[in-house]
Amino acid sequence: MIRLERRASFPKWLGWVIPIASIAAALVAGALLILVSGNDPLDTYSRILDRAFASGEALSATLIAATPLLFTGLAAAAAFKMGVFNIGGQGQFVIGTVTAAWTGLMWGDSLGKAVIPLMILAGVLGGALWAAIAGVLRAWLNTNEIITTLMLNYIAANLASWLIFNSRSYWRLLSGSGLQFPQGKRLPEGSDWPDLSLGSLVLPCGLLIGTAVAVGCWALYRHTRFGFEVSIISDSPEAAAYAGMRTKRKVLAVIALSGGLAGLGGAADVGNFRHVLDPKGLNQSGYGYAGIVIAALARLNPIAVVFVAVLMGGLSNAGRSLQGPDFPAGLVGTLQGMVLFFALGGEVLARYRIRRTVRIPEGVTV
Amino acid sequence: MTGITKQFSGVLANDDVSFDVRAGEVHALLGENGAGKSTLSNVLSGLYHPDAGTIHIAGRRVELSSPRDAIACGIGMVHQHFHLVPTFTVAENIVLGEKRPFRRKETEERIRALGEEFGLPVDPAAKVWQLSVGEQQRVEILKALERQATVLILDEPTAVLTPQESETLFATLRAMARAGRSVVFISHKLDEVMAVSDRVTVLRDGRNVGTVETATTSPRELANLMVGREVVFSADDHANRPVIDRERVVLRTVDLHADDSRGRPAVRGVDLSVCAGEIVAVCGVSGNGQRELAETICGTRARTSGEVFIDGVATTGRDPREAIEMGVAHIPEDRLHTGLAASASVEHNLVLKSYRRPPISKGPLLQHRAIRKNAQELIERFGIKTPDAHTSTRLLSGGNVQKVLLARELSSDPHVLVAASPTRGLDVGAIETVRGLLLDAARRGMGVLLITEDLEEAISLSDRIVVMFAGRLAGSVDRDNADITEIGLLMGGNQ
Amino acid sequence: MKRKLLVTLLVGSMLTAAACSDSKKDSGSSGSPLKAAWIYVGPTNDGGWTTAHDNGRKAVEAALGSKVLTTFKENVPEGPEVAQVIDDLVKDGNKIIFATSFGFGDAMLAAAKKYPDVKFEHATGIPNDTPNWSTYYGAGEQSTYLAGMAAGKATKSNTIGFVAPFPIPEVVRHINAYTLGARSVNPQATVKVVWINSWFDPAKERQAAESLVSGGADIIASGGDSPAPGDAAKAAGVGWTGYDSDQGANYPDVWLTAAIYDWGSYYTKEVQAVIDGTWAKGDYYGNIADGFTTIAPYGKRVDDATRALIDAKKADIIAGKFDIFAGPINDQSGAEKVAAGKSIDFGEQMSIQWFVEGVDGEIPA
């Protein structure tokens, strides 16, 4: 008989060994899968490395894919830290693109690059206010935030679609190719976020901001009264209330912070990459949901989120590179799923340990 | 049981423990918290598999790898925390998990008869959530009896009972023994063990340090066996009593009313005052509004009307933070989940209330160095046994958990300390420490409101005892003319 | 000819080497096949738009054999990722890249400017001066008109339900053509429109079809990419005209016909041109006369008389004897929009935002 027992303590060395062992196990299992599908595992793996990380260009593409994931990952981690399950990163991200795009369209020409801080502010506010709806419902009416934030995702997606497809909104392009196919107005060039080029490596501005924000989140949770309160509330809301913490306000603050992070991601997405409000592409992206997985893999540590986001960006980037007539998208998805499965499986092993319960044979006294 | 050994991540919880239970006896397992009583009973009830050792029942060797096996062998377990479905009836709970078809009438009749036989009166048709804690315990015992248990194990059964209820339980246990069944009674309370058992096995640090006939031993001998040294209860020492400053009323409530969590009136017009240096005990059977009274004073529960004065200043009662800042310290009943954040580290729990002020924080920033320093000081001053200051508080023993809580609350130098059942569930050594700390607090001029169901404790510790019944104060007795019987009657609602 | 090809390839490979220094798998010698790639927004098994294009890709492989090596990327989201997908395909040595969703336009055009020696072709795209840039599409409205005739003859309730993707000129044009076709054989017929705001969303498409059936429609018309409306039609026992993929074999009981495109011939022609070095930029708008658009084989719900009627009309269109948008045409209010003797010219067709008489529905702002 085999059973799982919760570990009483968590040895430090396990923190290193388990992720490495998980990745090794994932590689081995993945190799079997690739073999069975009739491809060459070594070739496949070298291609993943080559197309995701090996060259400046590949890494740049990976960083582009990682940028939105970094923000949604941070958003999820920030909320989950307090046991607030904000599943609404996707919707908050979308609202962030809507508000940031509006700001960029409005002042991009007149202000030039000075509009960028305004876009950031608009994205953060948009995402934060959108999330705050669920926050108020949770804190004062005790409504389950998983459901409300999920529902708000659909509302946000439909709102963005409506702005471009069903209304003559400010965001919509109503001339030229916009007459043939509904699409957003391109933001003025002035509002394009600059990238940092280091040789062939291009670091998107959004990624740099996101990394700084990640450090900020870490410091917020580690070094401030606010972070202390969050950790106590997540542990025991009763103890927090007993100690005089304003738990309801904190719930609202955390969910708004989480939404603000996702909204900032939306601003980065529109300022750095898309330059238009693109509901079709956003709804197809699933950034918000990927962020939840990233936060879980990073064990809610904001700094770790940066690395996991880059890893995931590379994985999806390499995944599309692998795909082709002999390597269907389904196989790529299975391979990616396997990596996640092993990583989370390792997480279980870190918290629990396997015990084999042996039956002592009859008549033997030990 | 022979040579039972059980290890948890390197810690020996049971080290080569052997003991035997005879048919028709009440056998007490006595020991401090952490002595290995619960582990041993979990081995017996099939929850844990021992690393070594054997179990024989009626001379036959048995393998208990699951609670199901244990039940099949006639071992019945009554846990400290009941395993009942609140929305089911008593009868449904009792037959839950049995394979034979459920016939309501028949089952209820059978349970009623069983209850009468052993002095365990319960209405089999009542829903469990409607029952008092004592009644729920009877259901658990009936459940074991219904399953033909020949060995009944009770883990700290009196922790949740009034003295009167405990007496009834003891009668039941003796009746069961007379009927030829065996009872294993787990406790750390000497008086109970003396009152109910035929033989006592004392555990210390996972070892059996002696099995003795109850008739030939004394509480003092048992206490020494348990702790491993001479124990002194010093609370009764008159010369050392705190000096009461009658001029300074640190806590006063005027016609205080509050509702319980389900919105029913729980505190119904309480007038109470505590002076500096005074210890006032509020006795009562659990559920008569004591808990709500404590919470209302501390601001964690909103009052419906009335007033609370702390050191002469009126509170608004809307916010626990207000009470904290006015100098009210609070040891809540549920230490590990209300008084402390269980998973948080010891050092964080020690600043759970002071984190808002310098030196623990400056502006919005936490001062980790100050937190560490605070922890080092308090760990040393209060003798908290912990591997280090970063250890999760839930990993500490019950006594050390309570010390963390007391260290934090007392180190803020409050005017008033509201302590709810501060020694419940603690072992002898820890009880001694906690009581000493309470006396010490009073000596330093704090007013202490002690909420307790333990009359011995109330009498030995407090200056004055008030009894709470149905949300009202039913009587006030000075400790010098306190009479246990009279107070017990007041607690039961008999004026 | 052969020498010219060799020179082209050599020059091309040198240019590639210059433009993209770490390209390893380059088709450097005359012996290696030409690499061609397709980028799809949906899965290749969507049973509609993407399946049709992928069948086109397979047709290229069948026609050109070892002279060509094709690949594709499916389920590519419209967003910053597209640029990376294109970079990747170029790195793999693809010399011509087809993208089949409008939303890929910006990334495709940017790549065309970045990689001048690779040909970029964008289906339903917007013309641009970039020399290695082409667009291609076709007059689906002609075949849609013919499908509408089949529907007009088949309806008993005179109500036809149209599952419409986006309120854009292309779709409006198709709905108009479908309605004109239906009413040319059944003046009582009306076409009810439900917008689903998606090209490919089986759940939404099916839902829309079901709501149309419960609203009285006994023929369902697909404007989107999945065969889900066919499932709804099958469940309700009503007729179905599909779009952009021949599903007659899978839905024999409900199938009427569908407007379809012959992507394979176009793709083969373009890839062959790259191999020959004769590729020229262009904005192809195929029609029924050159075989690019047509209708799928009839299902058993289309009787012989109707088949003859439609075939005759098709022949007229091919012969240039019939213009489906010839006046008189009334708008929804019944007012004459196009006078007799006039027609809707190509420019207006490309930006049309009004419905003809007989359409029950409106174009959102």
Side-chain angles (χ1 to χ4, degrees):
Chain A
M1 227 170 94
I2 291 175
R3 59 173 156 188
L4 288 175
E5 271 187 14
R6 205 186 165 91
R7 282 178 195 275
S9 59
F10 183 78
K12 268 236 159 81
W13 58 268
L14 269 179
W16 291 101
V17 169
I18 285 194
I20 293 169
S22 315
I23 289 171
L27 289 180
V28 171
L32 285 175
L33 181 74
I34 295 165
L35 267 180
V36 168
S37 73
N39 290 283
D40 176 5
L42 271 183
D43 184 57
T44 305
Y45 285 143
S46 71
R47 193 176 166 94
I48 289 178
L49 270 184
D50 180 50
R51 291 302 159 88
F53 305 107
S55 70
E57 281 182 6
L59 196 54
S60 303
T62 290
L63 295 182
I64 289 172
T67 302
L69 301 178
L70 166 56
F71 286 102
T72 54
L74 286 176
F80 290 13
K81 271 242 178 210
M82 201 172 81
V84 172
F85 293 98
N86 175 17
I87 311 295
Q90 178 72 23
Q92 292 139 17
F93 189 96
V94 169
I95 296 297
T97 64
V98 171
T99 51
W102 183 83
T103 313
L105 286 169
M106 199 63 155
W107 292 299
D109 272 328
S110 52
L111 293 180
K113 294 292 172 210
V115 80
I116 294 174
L118 287 182
M119 288 172 72
I120 291 175
L121 190 69
V124 170
L125 277 180
L129 290 175
W130 193 252
I133 299 172
V136 169
L137 289 172
R138 152 82 195 255
W140 279 276
L141 297 174
N142 214 13
T143 314
N144 184 331
E145 75 278 8
I146 298 179
I147 300 189
T148 51
T149 52
L150 194 64
M151 289 303 160
L152 284 168
N153 284 350
Y154 293 111
I155 298 175
N158 282 315
L159 177 70
S161 289
W162 179 79
L163 288 175
I164 298 302
F165 290 105
N166 300 98
S167 68
R168 304 179 75 80
S169 73
Y170 181 65
W171 290 263
R172 183 169 174 182
L173 179 66
L174 292 165
S175 60
S177 64
L179 294 177
Q180 278 181 43
F181 192 88
Q183 54 192 292
K185 263 189 268 184
R186 198 205 184 282
L187 269 60
E189 303 263 333
S191 63
D192 289 5
W193 294 14
D195 295 330
L196 178 66
S197 293
L198 304 167
S200 63
L201 179 66
V202 181
L203 297 168
C205 178
L207 185 85
L208 299 176
I209 293 173
T211 308
V213 168
V215 174
C217 279
W218 172 81
L220 179 72
Y221 280 105
R222 177 87 179 80
H223 288 291
T224 68
R225 280 167 46 174
F226 178 82
F228 181 72
E229 289 173 329
V230 165
S231 77
I232 298 297
I233 292 169
S234 77
D235 188 356
S236 165
E238 294 82 14
Y242 154 85
M245 296 174 187
R246 274 77 195 250
T247 53
K248 288 181 180 181
R249 275 190 234 173
K250 226 57 77 184
V251 167
L252 180 59
V254 162
I255 207 165
L257 168 71
S258 170
L261 290 168
L264 174 54
D269 189 62
V270 85
N272 238 159
F273 311 119
R274 283 184 214 265
H275 310 299
V276 292
L277 178 60
D278 173 16
K280 207 159 151 262
L282 285 174
N283 295 343
Q284 214 181 344
S285 72
Y287 293 141
Y289 302 105
I292 295 167
V293 176
I294 289 170
L297 286 175
R299 290 200 206 131
L300 311 187
N301 178 336
I303 307 286
V305 165
V306 179
F307 294 98
V308 177
V310 171
L311 197 70
M312 291 282 280
L315 218 56
S316 71
N317 185 354
R320 274 189 289 275
S321 170
L322 284 182
Q323 205 209 88
D326 316 322
F327 214 106
L331 184 59
V332 173
T334 312
L335 206 59
Q336 287 167 337
M338 221 147 169
V339 173
L340 296 183
F341 176 82
F342 276 95
L344 288 172
E347 181 68 1
V348 171
L349 285 185
R351 288 176 200 277
Y352 298 87
R353 59 177 173 188
I354 298 171
R355 284 194 63 95
R356 290 183 55 208
T357 50
V358 188
R359 279 174 190 250
I360 306 164
E362 197 78 13
V364 177
T365 312
V366 187
Chain B
M1 296 178 94
T2 318
I4 297 294
T5 299
K6 175 73 187 172
Q7 231 178 336
F8 289 109
S9 48
V11 178
L12 270 176
N14 283 159
D15 184 4
D16 194 21
V17 176
S18 303
F19 83 105
D20 60 296
V21 184
R22 297 172 192 149
E25 81 164 344
V26 178
H27 193 116
L29 271 182
L30 181 68
E32 295 195 287
N33 279 358
K37 308 186 297 282
S38 297
T39 307
L40 194 61
S41 65
N42 283 333
V43 168
L44 248 178
S45 62
L47 272 172
Y48 295 160
H49 195 87
D51 300 332
T54 57
I55 300 167
H56 291 82
I57 292 184
R60 203 169 55 82
R61 200 199 136 128
V62 291
E63 274 296 327
L64 306 176
S65 45
S66 72
R68 198 173 286 274
D69 290 358
I71 291 167
C73 292
I75 297 174
M77 176 89 190
V78 177
H79 291 273
Q80 215 168 337
H81 306 285
F82 305 142
H83 298 172
L84 298 171
V85 185
T87 50
F88 280 19
T89 68
V90 170
E92 284 163 348
N93 265 288
I94 287 175
V95 297
L96 197 67
E98 286 183 10
K99 291 224 168 72
R100 55 185 158 160
F102 177 64
R103 293 197 190 80
R104 184 176 300 277
K105 270 250 167 70
E106 202 179 291
T107 313
E108 288 182 359
E109 211 32 65
R110 200 169 63 235
I111 288 163
R112 204 185 306 276
L114 201 63
E116 273 162 21
E117 184 186 344
F118 291 101
L120 294 161
V122 190
D123 174 10
K127 301 259 195 237
V128 162
W129 62 266
Q130 297 168 320
L131 303 182
S132 75
V133 176
E135 286 173 316
Q136 290 184 26
Q137 188 175 59
R138 285 180 214 152
V139 178
E140 285 279 3
I141 297 173
L142 282 171
K143 197 157 95 182
L145 292 177
E146 159 77 10
R147 290 175 189 181
Q148 313 296 321
T150 50
V151 181
L152 185 72
I153 308 166
L154 297 105
D155 190 4
E156 307 261 357
T158 58
V160 290
L161 303 181
T162 64
Q164 279 85 355
E165 282 175 325
S166 298
E167 268 312 317
T168 319
L169 173 69
F170 295 160
T172 303
L173 298 184
R174 281 189 292 261
M176 286 170 55
R178 270 199 306 278
R181 305 187 193 227
S182 310
V183 177
V184 177
F185 178 85
I186 297 169
S187 179
H188 58 256
K189 290 184 184 157
L190 296 171
D191 50 343
E192 293 176 354
V193 168
M194 292 300 295
V196 74
S197 67
D198 299 309
R199 284 194 303 156
V200 187
T201 293
V202 183
L203 292 179
R204 172 162 28 98
D205 297 333
R207 272 175 231 268
N208 179 351
V209 291
T211 299
V212 292
E213 298 279 339
T214 313
T216 63
T217 187
S218 70
R220 185 151 296 270
E221 186 196 355
L222 289 178
N224 292 347
L225 270 175
M226 258 169 89
V227 184
R229 60 181 163 82
E230 284 288 318
V231 181
V232 198
F233 293 107
S234 59
D236 288 309
D237 188 352
H238 267 266
N240 239 341
R241 289 300 301 183
V243 184
I244 301 171
D245 181 358
R246 294 279 172 209
E247 298 297 296
R248 200 170 142 228
V249 179
V250 289
L251 168 67
R252 191 155 71 88
T253 71
V254 179
D255 194 25
L256 193 62
H257 288 261
D259 292 344
D260 69 10
S261 303
R262 281 184 248 173
R264 299 176 307 202
V267 179
R268 305 195 294 176
V270 167
D271 296 287
L272 184 74
S273 60
V274 180
C275 296
E278 186 182 26
I279 301 179
V280 176
V282 177
C283 291
V285 178
S286 172
N288 275 288
Q290 311 92 303
R291 179 188 175 152
E292 286 80 4
L293 174 66
E295 289 174 353
T296 310
I297 292 169
C298 298
T300 49
R301 177 174 298 277
R303 61 189 181 225
T304 45
S305 68
E307 282 183 278
V308 176
F309 297 90
I310 303 301
D311 207 18
V313 185
T315 70
T316 64
R318 270 193 228 114
D319 185 1
R321 195 182 285 194
E322 179 199 38
I324 292 166
E325 273 154 19
M326 288 174 79
V328 181
H330 183 195
I331 313 284
E333 215 168 336
D334 183 358
R335 287 158 214 152
L336 206 47
H337 295 284
T338 303
L340 297 164
S343 301
S345 64
V346 170
E347 65 174 14
H348 279 171
N349 269 309
L350 286 171
V351 296
L352 204 59
K353 286 180 174 176
S354 59
Y355 77 95
R356 288 185 283 264
R357 293 185 305 271
I360 304 303
S361 62
K362 283 184 185 152
L365 294 181
L366 284 182
Q367 302 298 315
H368 290 294
R369 200 170 296 163
I371 291 173
R372 209 154 303 145
K373 192 159 151 264
N374 176 68
Q376 274 161 4
E377 278 173 18
L378 293 181
I379 286 173
E380 199 179 292
R381 193 169 121 203
F382 289 86
I384 300 166
K385 283 200 198 96
T386 170
D388 58 46
H390 307 290
T391 304
S392 237
T393 310
R394 68 181 157 83
L395 297 177
L396 303 189
S397 72
N400 281 301
V401 165
Q402 188 67 309
K403 279 191 213 164
V404 172
L405 189 44
L406 274 161
R408 182 187 70 218
E409 294 301 304
L410 295 177
S411 63
S412 65
D413 283 319
H415 298 308
V416 187
L417 173 67
V418 179
S421 307
T423 60
R424 174 189 282 182
L426 300 188
D427 55 52
V428 178
I431 290 174
E432 198 185 356
T433 314
V434 169
R435 288 184 182 170
L437 285 170
L438 293 180
L439 281 168
D440 200 46
R443 238 172 254 131
R444 285 193 285 138
M446 283 175 218
V448 178
L449 188 67
L450 172 68
I451 292 170
T452 181
E453 290 166 43
D454 183 343
L455 288 183
E456 310 267 5
E457 172 166 283
I459 290 168
S460 72
L461 216 53
S462 63
D463 302 293
R464 198 149 53 83
I465 297 167
V466 293
V467 173
M468 197 158 180
F469 180 76
R472 295 196 178 85
L473 296 189
S476 171
V477 193
D478 274 351
R479 81 189 280 268
D480 296 327
N481 8 346
D483 171 28
I484 288 213
T485 325
E486 187 196 339
I487 297 172
L489 284 172
L490 282 171
M491 282 167 73
N494 303 303
Q495 300 270 344
Chain C
M1 190 68 203
K2 213 167 183 191
R3 179 171 296 168
K4 195 179 166 193
L5 171 68
L6 196 76
V7 170
T8 314
L9 281 174
L10 274 174
V11 171
S13 65
M14 277 158 67
L15 278 172
T16 317
C20 167
S21 54
D22 58 350
S23 157
K24 289 169 211 146
K25 299 173 180 172
D26 214 327
S27 55
S29 68
S30 59
S32 57
L34 181 94
K35 289 187 168 183
W38 279 256
I39 304 174
Y40 306 135
V41 71
T44 53
N45 58 359
D46 70 353
W49 182 257
T50 299
T51 300
H53 282 281
D54 202 50
N55 287 339
R57 178 186 68 82
K58 287 175 184 156
V60 173
E61 281 193 330
L64 303 181
S66 64
K67 287 194 285 177
V68 68
L69 193 64
T70 71
T71 189
F72 65 85
K73 303 288 177 194
E74 60 182 329
N75 268 333
V76 176
E78 294 173 3
E81 298 91 338
V82 185
Q84 183 260 327
V85 169
I86 298 171
D87 282 350
D88 204 63
L89 288 170
V90 172
K91 229 183 258 182
D92 283 342
N94 290 288
K95 287 287 167 258
I96 180 163
I97 297 173
F98 300 94
T100 66
S101 179
F102 182 86
F104 295 149
D106 290 347
M108 280 289 281
L109 192 55
K113 289 171 177 160
K114 189 171 163 192
Y115 304 110
D117 60 316
V118 178
K119 314 298 180 219
F120 290 88
E121 298 219 14
H122 188 202
T124 73
I126 295 159
N128 188 280
D129 288 339
T130 311
N132 53 335
W133 174 260
S134 282
T135 65
Y136 59 102
Y137 197 32
E141 49 275 12
Q142 292 173 330
S143 38
T144 307
Y145 182 94
L146 300 176
M149 288 173 70
K153 274 289 184 194
T155 180
K156 303 263 183 317
S157 66
N158 292 332
T159 306
I160 301 164
F162 200 107
V163 180
F166 285 105
I168 61 171
E170 174 194 331
V171 176
V172 171
R173 193 165 70 235
H174 287 178
I175 293 171
N176 282 342
Y178 191 89
T179 309
L180 290 170
R183 286 168 71 93
S184 72
V185 294
N186 178 358
Q188 306 303 313
T190 58
V191 175
K192 217 172 186 167
V193 174
V194 171
W195 300 106
I196 56 166
N197 278 335
S198 175
W199 289 118
F200 178 71
D201 188 334
K204 260 194 197 169
E205 289 174 64
R206 182 173 180 148
Q207 238 171 30
E210 282 165 353
S211 79
L212 286 165
V213 169
S214 60
D218 64 351
I219 301 291
I220 294 298
S222 272
D225 293 346
S226 96
D231 294 325
K234 204 159 140 185
V238 302
W240 176 45
T241 63
Y243 179 63
D244 70 28
S245 170
D246 177 11
Q247 294 287 336
N250 299 329
Y251 298 85
D253 295 334
V254 297
W255 184 254
L256 299 177
T257 181
I260 56 172
Y261 302 85
D262 179 12
W263 303 105
S265 310
Y266 178 76
Y267 286 143
T268 308
K269 180 166 69 78
E270 293 298 293
V271 174
Q272 182 67 55
V274 176
I275 294 171
D276 295 345
T278 58
W279 187 90
K281 81 175 261 85
D283 296 301
Y284 177 69
Y285 196 73
N287 57 35
I288 210 161
D290 61 19
F292 182 71
T293 64
T294 185
I295 53 171
Y298 303 112
K300 62 186 178 198
R301 282 189 181 234
V302 185
D303 58 42
D304 289 342
T306 309
R307 291 179 190 211
L309 202 63
I310 297 172
D311 288 343
K313 191 64 91 181
K314 185 176 170 189
D316 283 351
I317 295 173
I318 291 171
K321 281 194 275 184
F322 180 70
D323 172 7
I324 61 164
F325 287 128
I329 297 174
N330 294 346
D331 68 11
Q332 272 177 298
S333 69
E336 187 178 88
K337 192 86 176 177
V338 181
K342 300 229 166 135
S343 179
I344 305 175
D345 66 31
F346 186 72
E348 194 184 347
Q349 282 182 31
M350 289 301 117
S351 60
I352 192 162
Q353 279 295 341
W354 55 272
F355 277 140
V356 299
E357 189 173 22
V359 178
D360 177 6
E362 55 184 281
I363 302 168

